Amino acid sequence: MMMTGRVLSLKLAGRAAVRLCSSSQLKPSSPSSPNSSSRTQAEKQRRRREREEAILSNPHNTAEDRAVIWSQKETIVYTAETPPGKKKDTSLPFPTSYSPEYVESSWYQWWEKEGFFSPEQHRVPHRVDQTFSLCIPPPNVTGTLHLGHALTVAVEDALVRWRRMQGYRVLWVPGCDHAGIATQTVVERRLLREKGKHRQDFTRQEFLQEVWKWKKEKGDEIYHQLRTLGASLDWSRACFTMDPGFSRAVTEAFVRLCDSGLIYRSEGLVNWSCSLESAISDIEVDSKELSGQTMLSVPGYENKVEFGTMFTFVYPVEDGEVVVSTTRPETMLGDVAVAVHPDDPRYQAVHGKQCRHPFTDRLLPIITDPMVDMELGTGAVKVTPAHDHTDFLLSQRHSLPRLTVIGGDGTMTPLCGQWLEGVKRFDARQLVVDALVEKKLFRGNKSHAMTLPICSRSGDVIEPLLKKQWFVRCDDMAKKAIQAVEDRQLEIIPHFYTKTWKNWLSNISDWCISRQLWWGHQIPAYRVELPNSTDNPEEQWVWGRSEDEARHRAAAKYGLKAEDITLTQDPDVLDTWFSSGLFPFAMLGWPEQTADLQCFYPNSILETGSDLIFFWVARMVMLGTELTGQLPFKQVLFHSLVRDKHGRKMSKSLGNVIDPLDVIHGVSLEVRLQEKVKEGNLDPRERLVAMERKDFPKGIPQCGTDALRFALCSHKMQREDISLSTSQVLSCRHFCNKMWQTLRFTLGVLGQSTTPPLQEIFVSVDRWICSRLYSTVLQVEQAFEAYELHTVTSALYSFWVHNLCDVYMECVKPVLVQTDTEHSGRVGHVASTILYHCVSMSLALVSPFMPFITEELWQRLNPFRPGVAVQGSLCLQPYPCSSQLAHWHFPEEERDFLLVQEVIRVARSLRAQCGMTKEKPASKSCNSCKQPFQIYLCTHTGVIQLPVLQHLNR
């Protein structure tokens, strides 16, 4: 049969001359790789300044900004009375255009009430005897989700919904982390602001009551965001790391690791925040690169403090002197030696000699060690073991004493003498320099590039301090984690992270898990006081699941009656990363052998950001293997970081964090974006940069959840950092509207009839679209299995827009209205049936990425399904399978239609360039040469009228 349709197109002389134009097609961004070679500190600082200058100086009318031009769309609201949890009424008139607010109303509450996200509800005929389980990386209860979290949710939910539709028993557990430092800091600030009281003005229990009160008020905000993002989590199993059950798991883990000798108490050098008066983990330490002399604000100091300066002074030696340089002269009161390189010719004469400390009169040995860098400073270094990590190692190698001269509150200790005792450490710096000048021992200072460790929670400068803490021995557990990857028991995706994994774990140090806080899991260890033991200066500790168990352990250990022993529980709490490291099995009820633990552990996969490979992922693997005897998961899938338009990591300190709800619902520049910047604690220059918000000169348009999720999953997230722009999300919103209009057309074609199973295919265009659907399903299957979600989204977008809409629907439009003969009627009925099946399967294919719009459209299409209408939700329908569509594979048709697709793409581009409109689609004068021309295409033969070629040849 000959089918004709007027499709604007053109045919060029050869395929090589055809340029495919598709400005709306999704294209992954390509920012710089996170694995680029390391740069020097000065280079990093220079590039940061250049980025700031670019943000402040670039005009708004750049090409990218022009591409983001948008106008407020009409908001259509779903107004039917629908109590929460009741199914949405899709029998109402179909709105003429897509509106996220209309589409995303009511569906989630219905999904949740019906229990579609619970594995117990997976009573579907296509169920398979397999499980798929994972936990969400628990966000901190203190804050709100940002776009990085939204990427995690979009990726994980796509995988979860895909497996659920395949018939797997799926468990995806939500949770929140108690975030010890962050939460305590927030509550302390609140109490000071509202009541004028400090934490120390309360008892520990009173303060914890205030924290729980705050948690109940603010803790549900993250769960609200997750629901808005459409995350199909099993809320009946939601897990908070301070829940009673989880707390029991933390205590059990600590006791078992102590019993096995993997947790011990010792004196060690830790990262200390004087502002928080607590040790903090490495991940909570930010490195601030200084190119030289810099004045910085430090908590607790009215005036800015100078950093990036190298001070030089001398230690007198018999018949000479040793010149040393330091950026921290305030620590010289804790010097116990001077170190030089054994091969340094400048100091051969002083080997083995001593110098006298000018303030304490102590004799300091001059030691030699190859660790000393002869090229740095004067080549001689002061050794302060209690306040420097390198010096601490030197003290171990040379049996040197360790003198703490800075206290936990950041003031100088009594060891410094009355003239410095109680003075703030950075105020003491100038006093020490002045005293050296007075003694004629000071030799000057100069600008010096350096890296300054900053506490990410308080903004304070980190002070390395020597403290008695609880540590986890990591060597043996780290070796097991390395071996698991090498033996392919644990798969890391993408695979290039395996090298990073091995390098870090091969050089791991013991892990300090003590935190000097009140909010968190109090360490279940108890200091023992024995009768008549006042003369024993050594600490004696026991541990237990309860104080009673610890008392009986102490009695057995020391051969005494339990009632004769006094126990005092360690006031410190455990590092948050310790409890979160137990999440994959503690969330399932461990240490009890629950049904969930037996069914869903080990988890199938862990998906998270690549920045957590050390602080969370490695620790989960080590703790899971040690405590359960099994790896906590079989695969680890890392995604890259979401950065802003300028390639900067999204950070509250930069004021460039974007709330996903602002993208979903839309927000003005002034009302929310700039207000959030003003609320932050930013450096004045950083605030100026953040206030510009040139990424969003008009604010953010309403894009909807589906568009945001699809845009996030459209990036090559396994290799490249993601720079998400508004134009990308808007493009996905346009795709949603394309889907919407496709269904409106389809429903109009179907009328009131149901669609019988497809039995006969008459013409080549029908065979072509069926074959393209098969090929798309096959490509989607392969990409999903490889976790290449950007390939899945690209294939789905291409099929829907470029195959189904651009070609097939345009071809069948004339046929669907030509029903004057029996033959044309049968052909039209076949075409409508094919259209129905293509749209229905496409909705199922897209559903894991766009759950709201696909549910809305599928429910409206469902009444036309042949036979008894399928009940329930699209999220539980079978996911299309290529093996069931193999009979639709016509490779010769796909090959023949490649030229047709190229012609259509170029013609659409020409139509836009020549200013053709819908009112006069067939004949128009060219804007360039003013000559009239016509464009016709026979979709069956591919023949194009000659006037087009004549026009082009001119």
Side-chain angles (χ1 to χ4, degrees):
M1 184 199 100
M2 176 84 66
M3 292 201 328
T4 59
R6 293 170 63 183
V7 180
L8 295 169
S9 185
L10 69 136
K11 184 174 183 180
L12 300 184
R15 292 196 180 205
V18 179
R19 180 185 178 190
L20 305 183
C21 301
S22 179
S23 60
S24 63
Q25 189 170 5
L26 297 178
K27 297 180 180 179
S29 60
S30 56
S32 58
S33 168
N35 299 310
S36 57
S37 59
S38 59
R39 302 186 295 269
T40 63
Q41 296 176 8
E43 178 69 6
K44 289 180 179 179
Q45 189 76 1
R46 182 184 65 80
R47 293 198 178 194
R48 184 182 69 82
R49 289 196 301 269
E50 287 179 353
R51 282 197 299 268
E52 291 179 353
E53 294 296 339
I55 295 171
L56 292 172
S57 62
N58 281 349
H60 288 303
N61 59 347
T62 62
E64 184 170 352
D65 289 332
R66 289 195 298 272
V68 188
I69 293 176
W70 56 275
S71 57
Q72 192 66 45
K73 303 291 184 182
E74 177 187 3
T75 300
I76 303 173
V77 181
Y78 177 74
T79 56
E81 185 175 344
T82 307
K86 184 179 179 182
K87 186 176 181 181
K88 191 174 180 179
D89 185 2
T90 54
S91 65
L92 298 176
F94 201 4
T96 56
S97 62
Y98 166 73
S99 173
E101 192 167 339
Y102 181 95
V103 168
E104 295 168 14
S105 171
S106 301
W107 285 123
Y108 196 93
Q109 293 88 341
W110 177 61
W111 292 332
E112 188 176 342
K113 184 179 179 182
E114 292 296 319
F116 293 149
F117 306 152
S118 171
E120 289 78 15
Q121 298 296 321
H122 294 187
R123 302 186 185 95
V124 292
H126 60 285
R127 175 173 170 176
V128 297
D129 189 23
Q130 288 181 277
T131 61
F132 185 76
S133 59
L134 71 161
C135 64
I136 195 170
N140 289 351
V141 71
T142 52
T144 57
L145 304 184
H146 53 66
L147 284 182
H149 296 112
L151 173 63
T152 301
V153 171
V155 171
E156 292 182 11
D157 198 38
L159 298 176
V160 161
R161 289 177 178 271
W162 167 58
R163 287 301 192 194
R164 190 181 289 123
M165 294 176 74
Q166 286 187 317
Y168 285 62
R169 289 187 64 201
V170 174
L171 177 61
W172 187 23
V173 179
C176 266
D177 190 274
H178 64 277
I181 293 175
T183 301
Q184 180 163 310
T185 300
V186 168
V187 174
E188 286 193 68
R189 289 174 180 171
R190 178 181 179 180
L191 291 174
L192 185 61
R193 182 176 65 251
E194 296 180 357
K195 299 183 179 182
K197 292 185 177 181
H198 296 274
R199 169 168 56 101
Q200 291 76 11
D201 297 325
F202 299 85
T203 66
R204 184 170 186 147
Q205 290 305 315
E206 288 172 342
F207 178 77
L208 292 179
Q209 288 176 3
E210 293 290 336
V211 180
W212 279 108
K213 178 181 176 183
W214 175 89
K215 192 267 178 185
K216 290 177 181 178
E217 292 175 1
K218 301 295 184 181
D220 290 338
E221 188 170 352
I222 287 176
Y223 286 173
H224 167 69
Q225 287 181 300
L226 289 171
R227 287 180 167 93
T228 303
L229 284 166
S232 56
L233 294 149
D234 185 354
W235 293 104
S236 67
R237 291 173 166 90
C239 185
F240 178 50
T241 52
M242 288 292 288
D243 287 340
F246 202 102
S247 295
R248 283 195 297 273
V250 173
T251 298
E252 181 70 24
F254 183 89
V255 171
R256 289 193 188 185
L257 293 172
C258 282
D259 288 344
S260 63
L262 290 174
I263 289 182
Y264 65 95
R265 185 171 177 83
S266 177
E267 188 175 56
L269 208 59
V270 298
N271 298 317
W272 187 269
S273 170
C274 296
S275 179
L276 298 173
E277 294 192 49
S278 173
I280 64 173
S281 67
D282 292 339
I283 199 172
E284 288 151 342
V285 178
D286 294 334
S287 296
K288 192 174 186 68
E289 308 292 345
L290 304 181
S291 58
Q293 250 175 20
T294 308
M295 304 298 293
L296 297 176
S297 298
V298 178
Y301 292 81
E302 291 185 7
N303 300 319
K304 289 188 175 183
V305 178
E306 180 182 321
F307 296 94
T309 300
M310 182 73 81
F311 299 88
T312 302
F313 65 95
V314 300
Y315 272 122
V317 185
E318 184 182 352
D319 301 326
E321 60 184 26
V322 176
V323 183
V324 298
S325 296
T326 179
T327 58
R328 308 182 65 211
E330 67 275 11
T331 64
M332 73 164 292
L333 278 300
D335 289 355
V336 296
V338 174
V340 297
H341 196 281
D343 299 331
D344 194 332
R346 294 171 292 181
Y347 301 108
Q348 296 292 331
V350 298
H351 287 184
K353 292 188 176 183
Q354 294 178 317
C355 54
R356 189 172 295 279
H357 199 290
F359 301 130
T360 65
D361 215 32
R362 291 194 309 270
L363 290 175
L364 311 183
I366 299 175
I367 62 174
T368 60
D369 197 287
M371 288 179 64
V372 177
D373 183 358
M374 289 188 290
E375 305 300 323
L376 182 63
T378 64
V381 295
K382 55 192 284 299
V383 181
T384 320
H387 298 281
D388 185 271
H389 291 281
T390 303
D391 294 357
F392 182 77
L393 295 177
L394 284 172
S395 73
Q396 291 178 316
R397 292 164 63 151
H398 297 273
S399 302
L400 299 173
R402 300 156 189 167
L403 305 178
T404 298
V405 294
I406 299 176
D409 61 353
T411 62
M412 308 305 287
T413 67
L415 281 177
C416 302
Q418 293 184 352
W419 67 294
L420 284 181
E421 182 181 353
V423 177
K424 292 180 181 179
R425 53 183 169 152
F426 297 129
D427 292 339
R429 176 177 295 179
Q430 189 59 49
L431 293 178
V432 170
V433 170
D434 291 343
L436 288 170
V437 171
E438 184 179 343
K439 290 179 176 289
K440 298 183 174 17
L441 299 174
F442 188 67
R443 295 295 182 267
N445 60 281
K446 63 179 180 179
S447 181
H448 177 72
M450 63 179 294
T451 301
L452 195 66
I454 302 292
C455 174
S456 63
R457 302 300 182 186
S458 64
D460 199 4
V461 177
I462 293 298
E463 185 67 46
L465 284 188
L466 201 59
K467 293 284 185 179
K468 285 191 175 181
Q469 308 276 268
W470 294 96
F471 292 86
V472 178
R473 300 184 198 277
C474 295
D475 284 350
D476 289 342
M477 291 192 292
K479 290 176 183 176
K480 294 178 184 178
I482 294 172
Q483 196 64 41
V485 173
E486 291 181 346
D487 293 345
R488 299 186 179 180
Q489 298 174 12
L490 177 64
E491 182 183 12
I492 295 179
I493 308 169
H495 297 296
F496 61 75
Y497 280 114
T498 57
K499 183 176 180 181
T500 308
W501 177 268
K502 183 177 181 178
N503 288 344
W504 187 77
L505 287 172
S506 297
N507 297 283
I508 195 171
S509 56
D510 287 356
W511 170 21
C512 173
I513 55 174
S514 298
R515 299 293 178 265
Q516 290 63 44
L517 306 171
W518 284 356
W519 172 244
H521 298 105
Q522 190 170 353
I523 294 176
Y526 301 80
R527 187 166 183 171
V528 181
E529 293 182 30
L530 304 175
N532 304 318
S533 62
T534 54
D535 296 333
N536 187 359
E538 291 295 322
E539 291 185 347
Q540 300 175 97
W541 293 84
V542 292
W543 45 84
R545 296 166 182 84
S546 64
E547 183 176 339
D548 187 57
E549 180 182 332
R551 188 176 301 279
H552 282 86
R553 283 174 175 246
K557 182 177 181 179
Y558 298 108
L560 297 171
K561 294 181 180 180
E563 58 268 23
D564 293 336
I565 295 174
T566 301
L567 297 182
T568 304
Q569 187 173 0
D570 190 334
D572 292 352
V573 300
L574 288 165
D575 179 14
T576 297
W577 294 105
F578 182 86
S579 53
S580 64
L582 311 177
F583 212 88
F585 47 97
M587 72 178 187
L588 300 175
W590 182 89
E592 303 298 327
Q593 289 300 309
T594 62
D596 277 356
L597 191 67
Q598 294 174 12
C599 183
F600 297 108
Y601 188 81
N603 297 173
S604 304
I605 193 172
L606 175 80
E607 195 283 332
T608 189
S610 57
D611 55 333
L612 293 181
I613 183 171
F614 310 131
F615 304 104
W616 191 43
V617 183
R619 286 167 178 169
M620 278 189 287
V621 170
M622 291 192 295
L623 292 175
T625 304
E626 186 64 35
L627 293 169
T628 71
Q630 294 177 283
L631 289 166
F633 27 73
K634 302 167 187 176
Q635 293 179 310
V636 181
L637 175 62
F638 288 119
H639 65 247
S640 300
L641 302 181
V642 178
R643 298 184 180 273
D644 67 10
K645 173 181 172 181
H646 308 282
R648 302 176 301 168
K649 182 179 178 180
M650 289 195 174
S651 165
K652 290 181 181 179
S653 64
L654 294 178
N656 62 349
V657 172
I658 299 298
D659 187 335
L661 298 190
D662 289 343
V663 180
I664 291 170
H665 301 308
V667 63
S668 68
L669 176 66
E670 295 81 7
V671 172
R672 287 286 299 277
L673 297 180
Q674 291 184 341
E675 280 186 3
K676 288 183 177 181
V677 173
K678 293 176 182 177
E679 292 170 1
N681 184 27
L682 301 184
D683 177 91
R685 179 175 178 81
E686 290 175 339
R687 174 176 292 191
L688 181 63
V689 172
M691 286 291 288
E692 279 293 293
R693 301 315 294 257
K694 290 194 174 181
D695 308 34
F696 315 105
K698 294 174 59 180
I700 302 175
Q702 184 188 63
C703 296
T705 297
D706 291 320
L708 175 61
R709 288 169 52 128
F710 200 81
L712 287 167
C713 290
S714 297
H715 291 80
K716 291 182 180 178
M717 64 195 69
Q718 291 186 24
R719 291 191 175 273
E720 301 168 340
D721 281 357
I722 297 170
S723 294
L724 188 70
S725 68
T726 306
S727 60
Q728 292 170 321
V729 187
L730 276 176
S731 177
C732 293
R733 175 181 164 139
H734 298 330
F735 177 42
C736 290
N737 189 60
K738 194 82 168 180
M739 296 168 61
W740 190 265
Q741 300 306 330
T742 300
L743 197 84
R744 289 188 71 229
F745 175 79
T746 303
L747 294 179
V749 168
L750 295 175
Q752 301 299 320
S753 62
T754 57
T755 57
L758 188 60
Q759 295 178 343
E760 53 181 345
I761 302 178
F762 285 92
V763 294
S764 60
V765 72
D766 293 335
R767 292 194 297 272
W768 170 78
I769 193 64
C770 289
S771 189
R772 284 300 306 133
L773 179 59
Y774 162 79
S775 298
T776 300
V777 171
L778 181 62
Q779 186 179 7
V780 165
E781 282 178 347
Q782 296 170 346
F784 252 132
E785 291 290 348
Y787 304 122
E788 296 283 352
L789 298 191
H790 68 283
T791 302
V792 179
T793 56
S794 177
L796 296 177
Y797 180 92
S798 180
F799 174 78
W800 196 300
V801 174
H802 301 306
N803 299 160
L804 184 61
C805 295
D806 286 357
V807 179
Y808 187 72
M809 286 175 58
E810 292 296 330
C811 288
V812 300
K813 281 180 181 178
V815 175
L816 293 173
V817 297
Q818 293 176 8
T819 58
D820 51 342
T821 67
E822 181 181 351
H823 179 72
S824 61
R826 282 198 303 122
V827 172
H829 188 64
V830 170
S832 65
T833 302
I834 290 175
L835 179 61
Y836 165 83
H837 284 291
C838 287
V839 172
S840 180
M841 286 192 184
S842 296
L843 289 173
L845 289 168
V846 178
S847 177
F849 302 95
M850 295 181 161
F852 291 104
I853 188 173
T854 53
E855 184 76 76
E856 177 86 25
L857 300 181
W858 186 84
Q859 294 287 352
R860 291 181 178 273
L861 196 62
N862 202 35
F864 298 93
R865 192 174 299 278
V868 179
V870 177
Q871 300 299 318
S873 167
L874 173 59
C875 68
L876 293 184
Q877 300 308 306
Y879 200 74
C881 178
S882 63
S883 62
Q884 298 172 351
L885 299 176
H887 61 287
W888 279 6
H889 189 208
F890 305 107
E892 68 282 356
E893 299 292 351
E894 291 196 53
R895 184 177 59 252
D896 293 344
F897 262 80
L898 287 175
L899 179 60
V900 176
Q901 290 179 276
E902 292 172 354
V903 166
I904 291 172
R905 290 194 189 101
V906 177
R908 288 180 180 272
S909 178
L910 178 64
R911 181 177 63 179
Q913 294 173 14
C914 295
M916 300 182 70
T917 63
K918 291 182 178 180
E919 289 73 20
K920 296 181 179 180
S923 181
K924 183 74 177 179
S925 296
C926 177
N927 290 344
S928 300
C929 65
K930 306 304 180 184
Q931 295 296 320
F933 65 89
Q934 291 183 321
I935 301 176
Y936 291 101
L937 167 68
C938 172
T939 57
H940 184 70
T941 64
V943 175
I944 301 177
Q945 284 196 350
L946 184 60
V948 176
L949 299 180
Q950 291 175 338
H951 174 78
L952 292 176
N953 290 334
R954 286 198 293 267

